[in-house]
Amino acid sequence: GGGEGGGGEGGGRMQSSGEFGIARTEDSCSVRHERWVESNRSKSDPLPKKPQRERELAFSPVEMGTVVLGLQICGPEVKELAVELDALFHECPGATKLGFPLVMKRMPMTPMAETSPHARNQFTITQLMTEPGMGMPLSWSVSDRNTPPPLLVARPDGVPLLEQEWRLLGDFFEYLMEEVFEDDKDTEMKPSAFVRFVEGWAHRAALGTEESPSAFIDLAPAFASRFPLGVRVTARDIASRPALSGRSGLVCKHDEPRRRVGVEFAHPFGLLSLKPASLAIDPKAQSEQLLFRLEQERFKEFGRRR
């Protein structure tokens, strides 16, 4: 009799509770508590955020033998150069966790690398090549003097790797070591956390006047900082439009999903959508325009509050 009553109309008002599926009614204590919490929640209290879903690393590797712009790391020196990809390159697990592909290749030891070790570069290499829970690959163990040989570093998806990006990776790993608790490091070693770090760095670097922030623009466009609206830029190295190279225009639009910047040039070119790599920008002009835009936004916000 009890089983049949549970399947009737009264059973339709029953709710499952917890992982054991114990039935509960509207008069159950736990249900009444939930109703009270919801009815007394402040309008200003944000709902609990769901964990952000990290994007999976997906890229199309270029063919073996392809020459890409990469880096040579030798002691304290970091130099951009053309790198030919081959089967001797090893995947960097640390970069994979941050959401981009990276490979390294050990070169023969040189006197400079042996006599001029560089702690920061070595630390960055270790973080990139360490497999979580397993450490560095045995084939990458360094000598007793703790001095790694020269390395070639590149991206197997063909995206150029810049010296500025190597410095930024060093900054990120130092941030993890000095400012993040050990229990929270796994949370920070994720694509979303690295993107936030790059966006913050790009904003700070753009406010300076030493160099324009170009690192990891494919991961974190941050065009509002890198190419503030109204700043003047110069077109360069555009194979499809050689007549445009060297001409200047004003940034008037951002298309971050497509990784394009809208630039208004003088007649006959007009408004064009260009890749960031095809644009040169003066760091001082970039800083001044970004400050101007920030002041405008603050003025508008102050006016609304009044």
Side-chain angles (χ1 to χ4, degrees):
E4 293 177 0
E9 295 182 1
R13 294 192 296 269
M14 307 290 276
Q15 300 183 35
S16 175
S17 172
E19 61 180 338
F20 299 106
I22 300 174
R24 61 183 183 165
T25 68
E26 291 295 329
D27 292 328
S28 299
C29 181
S30 60
V31 174
R32 292 202 307 271
H33 175 72
E34 291 171 7
R35 300 289 183 269
W36 184 90
V37 170
E38 289 301 318
S39 63
N40 288 276
R41 183 190 297 276
S42 170
K43 298 295 184 182
S44 61
D45 288 346
L47 292 171
K49 291 185 178 180
K50 295 182 179 179
Q52 183 175 355
R53 184 176 181 180
E54 300 291 341
R55 71 175 190 277
E56 295 182 1
L57 179 60
F59 69 97
S60 299
V62 297
E63 295 182 358
M64 289 292 175
T66 301
V67 177
V68 300
L69 179 63
L71 300 174
Q72 177 179 281
I73 316 294
C74 183
E77 287 192 352
V78 180
K79 182 171 63 175
E80 294 181 3
L81 77 171
V83 174
E84 182 178 353
L85 296 175
D86 57 34
L88 298 179
F89 279 87
H90 295 254
E91 178 186 346
C92 297
T96 302
K97 289 196 69 175
L98 297 180
F100 67 97
L102 195 69
V103 291
M104 286 188 190
K105 176 181 177 180
R106 292 163 62 95
M107 304 296 289
M109 180 62 81
T110 64
M112 178 179 178
E114 190 170 13
T115 59
S116 303
H118 192 266
R120 178 181 166 93
N121 284 342
Q122 183 176 336
F123 176 68
T124 304
I125 293 166
T126 301
Q127 296 301 306
L128 288 170
M129 288 303 301
T130 297
E131 184 76 38
M134 299 185 65
M136 290 272 286
L138 291 177
S139 59
W140 279 73
S141 58
V142 296
S143 64
D144 293 337
R145 295 186 60 184
N146 208 29
T147 304
L151 300 173
L152 294 181
V153 192
R155 288 186 54 163
D157 55 358
V159 175
L161 183 65
L162 309 177
E163 185 268 340
Q164 191 182 76
E165 292 174 334
W166 183 261
R167 282 188 277 127
L168 185 56
L169 283 170
D171 291 344
F172 178 75
F173 290 125
E174 284 189 356
Y175 153 74
L176 290 182
M177 180 181 68
E178 297 175 359
E179 300 185 34
V180 178
F181 290 112
E182 193 67 33
D183 293 342
D184 297 332
K185 288 185 178 180
D186 286 342
T187 302
E188 291 296 302
M189 277 290 290
K190 291 183 179 179
S192 59
F194 185 62
V195 166
R196 289 194 302 270
F197 184 87
V198 175
E199 289 173 342
W201 165 84
H203 186 74
R204 295 189 299 273
L207 288 172
T209 57
E210 295 183 1
E211 62 178 349
S212 178
S214 303
F216 296 111
I217 202 167
D218 61 315
L219 304 180
F223 285 161
S225 300
R226 301 181 197 256
F227 297 97
L229 297 177
V231 74
R232 185 168 293 278
V233 294
T234 303
R236 63 181 182 184
D237 303 330
I238 303 179
S240 60
R241 292 177 177 266
L244 192 62
S245 295
R247 294 182 178 267
S248 63
L250 295 179
V251 173
C252 60
K253 187 178 180 182
H254 297 148
D255 187 354
E256 291 194 350
R258 296 179 59 236
R259 304 299 194 264
R260 296 277 180 157
V261 180
V263 182
E264 184 72 38
F265 293 94
H267 181 79
F269 300 103
L271 177 61
L272 297 176
S273 179
L274 301 175
K275 296 179 179 180
S278 301
L279 300 173
I281 184 170
D282 177 56
K284 185 177 180 179
Q286 180 185 47
S287 175
E288 292 175 351
Q289 187 63 22
L290 180 55
L291 284 171
F292 174 72
R293 300 291 302 182
L294 292 174
E295 289 174 357
Q296 279 189 322
E297 292 175 4
R298 289 172 183 170
F299 179 77
K300 291 178 182 179
E301 180 64 25
F302 177 75
R304 282 196 297 269
R305 291 180 180 178
R306 293 185 62 187

